[in-house]
Amino acid sequence: MSWTQAEMRTLKPNRYILIDDEPCKIISITISKPGKHGEAKGRLEAIGIFDGQKKSIVHPVSHKVKVPLIDKRTAQVLSITGSEVQLMDLTTYETFQVPIEDKDKGKFQPGKEVQYLIAMGRKKITRI
């Protein structure tokens, strides 16, 4: 289990949430006033970390939602092969392959340090 639960009212922008089992970064949250017979609703807009799609959900503010456990780490570039880069984690010395995004092509050099995140068993480079 790589997620935890939180109420809608406790979420804030620039944090993370699971929408359709996809980890997303929260862009904005708007909370409406409670109605005569109802409860306040929260509208949340987010962007997927791995797919980049914009998603939104609406739930009562007391509704429990899934929040992914994000692990941010540092790695060193070992080699670049086509559209993938091989990295070595600087704390566990584990080596693994991560795909390179189109906007980051040409920025990698062997020996350079990068920051990456792990969410729901997937990895993505966040800073070069």
Side-chain angles (χ1 to χ4, degrees), residues 2-4 15-18 23-25 49-50 67-73 116-120 122 126:
S2 57
W3 54 268
T4 184
R15 300 239 174 117
Y16 299 96
I17 186 171
L18 277 177
C24 301
K25 188 172 186 176
I49 296 173
F50 298 107
V67 177
L69 299 175
I70 305 286
D71 192 9
K72 295 181 181 178
R73 297 185 179 182
Y116 71 99
L117 61 82
I118 302 172
M120 303 296 290
R122 298 174 11 200
T126 55

Side-chain angles (χ1 to χ4, degrees), residues 81-94:
T81 54
S83 64
E84 287 190 336
V85 62
Q86 185 178 19
L87 300 175
M88 177 182 68
D89 190 293
L90 293 178
T91 55
T92 63
Y93 302 110
E94 169 194 8

Side-chain angles (χ1 to χ4, degrees), residues 66-116:
K66 294 179 182 177
V67 177
L69 299 175
I70 305 286
D71 192 9
K72 295 181 181 178
R73 297 185 179 182
T74 307
Q76 183 178 12
V77 177
L78 296 179
S79 66
I80 300 114
T81 54
S83 64
E84 287 190 336
V85 62
Q86 185 178 19
L87 300 175
M88 177 182 68
D89 190 293
L90 293 178
T91 55
T92 63
Y93 302 110
E94 169 194 8
T95 59
F96 53 90
Q97 300 267 8
V98 177
I100 301 174
E101 293 183 10
D102 293 334
K103 64 179 179 136
D104 294 333
K105 288 195 179 199
K107 294 183 179 180
F108 294 100
Q109 296 172 356
K112 211 172 185 184
E113 289 188 7
V114 296
Q115 287 184 343
Y116 71 99

